[in-house]
Amino acid sequence: MSEPNDRPKVRLRRASTVLPPVTVDCSHWPRAEGSRARVKLQSAAQHFPLPDDKWLEIRVRFEADAQPAAVEAVTVKLIEAVHATAPELGLTYNQSRSRVDGEDVVVALTPANPAGAKERLAALIRDIRAALADRNGAALTDVRLCPAA
Amino acid sequence: MAPAVRPIVRLVMPCDEVHHDPAADRVTLIDPLPVAALPPGQSFPVVVTELWVYTQLTEGVGTFRLSVEVRQVYDEGIPPRPVGRSETRHLTFPGANQLNVYDVPFRVTDVPFEGPGFYEFRVLADDQELQGQTALMRVFDPRTTP
């Protein structure tokens, strides 16, 4: 029998059946007389802030004529690779630190649990590189933990 | 013919939008709304032009007329105020497959909200409330409620 650490690491996939959306027109529902504004509600939920003192930066260089859809596809691919390799880190996209830096697109990911991130760096670089191997026009230029020790 | 078994509501969640990407077969809930605020400068009553109610139904057998009901709920002892009930949609749950889960998104338009408070979203089958989850959404005016 395999040891727990030898077992394949996977991400589960949703297997429910998605039905087409049902549109419900409530314009005939009863309402008090008088004028009223037509609005969209805004979420007011509180989000737990993630610690922002450590993050992972992945730098990818695209060809000058890269299409936005290709950039997005590569970004999704590398985030999936990171999650598959190190799910225990709980890495999530860090919008405030992600940026364009010169010719590079910098994708910043913040760990929910940074313990062990340094030890996982080599595996992350290997798997990110593999994820981008078949992506013509996108080249990995750097992966680093920030701030640098 | 197998006897009908009413489905149960595994999940119901109001949100700003439900997006299904058939190519990737991924479902995204955008801005779940357990608590929601009016936009700046607006006050009750309002008509909410669009929101989505994401539901997951399971364990059913047979064909049912599904609908969504919204009502405003108050403190204990005060009966809820019905806001409205949607038209129905027929959904057939095949027999011998009760472990399957169906994602049924409802796009709800022009919903009247008379005042702040808690609004409950319930899924009904053949005009009867289903067992399982209901969703509460708190709506408030940020100018009067912190």
Side-chain angles (χ1 to χ4, degrees):
Chain A
M1 199 163 78
S2 64
E3 293 296 317
N5 288 339
D6 297 335
R7 294 173 185 166
K9 294 175 188 275
V10 301
R11 296 199 70 190
L12 296 176
R13 290 185 61 87
R14 181 186 52 73
S16 55
T17 304
V18 182
L19 300 178
V22 180
T23 296
V24 178
D25 177 9
C26 308
S27 58
H28 61 283
W29 284 7
R31 59 197 69 190
E33 296 289 330
S35 63
R36 59 183 66 207
R38 294 171 56 79
V39 302
K40 284 271 283 181
L41 293 176
Q42 300 182 330
S43 173
Q46 302 293 312
H47 304 291
F48 288 106
L50 288 169
D52 196 30
D53 57 340
K54 289 187 175 61
W55 67 98
L56 181 73
E57 282 192 1
I58 305 169
R59 289 176 168 263
V60 183
R61 187 160 300 177
F62 292 88
E63 291 179 345
D65 59 351
Q67 297 297 306
V71 176
E72 187 205 12
V74 166
T75 305
V76 169
K77 188 91 174 170
L78 66 86
I79 290 175
E80 286 180 347
V82 164
H83 284 165
T85 302
E88 71 280 5
L89 298 181
L91 287 158
T92 56
Y93 182 70
N94 184 326
Q95 188 169 13
S96 63
R97 295 196 183 278
S98 296
R99 61 197 184 278
V100 175
D101 185 6
E103 296 177 87
D104 291 343
V105 171
V106 181
V107 178
L109 302 172
T110 299
N113 172 23
K118 194 174 178 182
E119 292 73 18
R120 303 291 281 144
L121 192 57
L124 286 168
I125 293 171
R126 178 197 66 212
D127 291 349
I128 292 169
R129 201 176 293 283
L132 298 185
D134 61 344
R135 298 280 168 171
N136 291 332
L140 185 69
T141 56
D142 193 19
V143 179
R144 69 175 73 167
L145 283 174
C146 299
Chain B
M1 187 172 160
V5 179
R6 293 158 58 76
I8 66 167
V9 183
R10 175 75 61 80
L11 176 69
V12 53
M13 174 59 73
C15 48
D16 188 58
E17 188 179 344
V18 176
H19 179 66
H20 179 219
D21 177 357
D25 194 24
R26 298 190 76 118
V27 175
T28 306
L29 303 193
I30 298 170
D31 260 350
L33 294 172
V35 55
L38 294 186
Q42 302 292 351
S43 58
F44 290 103
V46 295
V47 167
V48 173
T49 53
E50 179 179 309
L51 60 85
W52 290 64
V53 181
Y54 176 75
T55 68
Q56 287 184 337
L57 307 176
T58 188
E59 297 187 22
V61 178
T63 299
F64 299 92
R65 291 179 293 111
L66 289 184
S67 57
V68 168
E69 184 177 78
V70 183
R71 58 187 197 170
Q72 188 170 9
V73 295
Y74 304 98
D75 289 339
E76 207 169 319
I78 303 175
R81 181 183 68 82
V83 176
R85 183 182 296 181
S86 76
E87 298 89 354
T88 56
R89 174 214 163 94
H90 284 82
L91 182 62
T92 297
F93 295 82
N97 200 8
Q98 286 178 265
L99 292 179
N100 202 0
V101 177
Y102 292 88
D103 300 51
V104 190
F106 291 85
R107 175 177 170 265
V108 189
T109 63
D110 289 340
V111 195
F113 283 79
E114 301 297 329
F118 287 92
Y119 289 81
E120 185 180 45
F121 294 79
R122 305 191 303 167
V123 184
L124 299 94
D126 296 343
D127 298 322
Q128 293 184 337
E129 185 180 354
L130 291 174
Q131 288 194 333
Q133 298 282 314
T134 63
L136 268 187
M137 179 172 74
R138 176 178 164 240
V139 186
F140 67 96
D141 180 347
R143 293 184 304 180
T144 57
T145 308

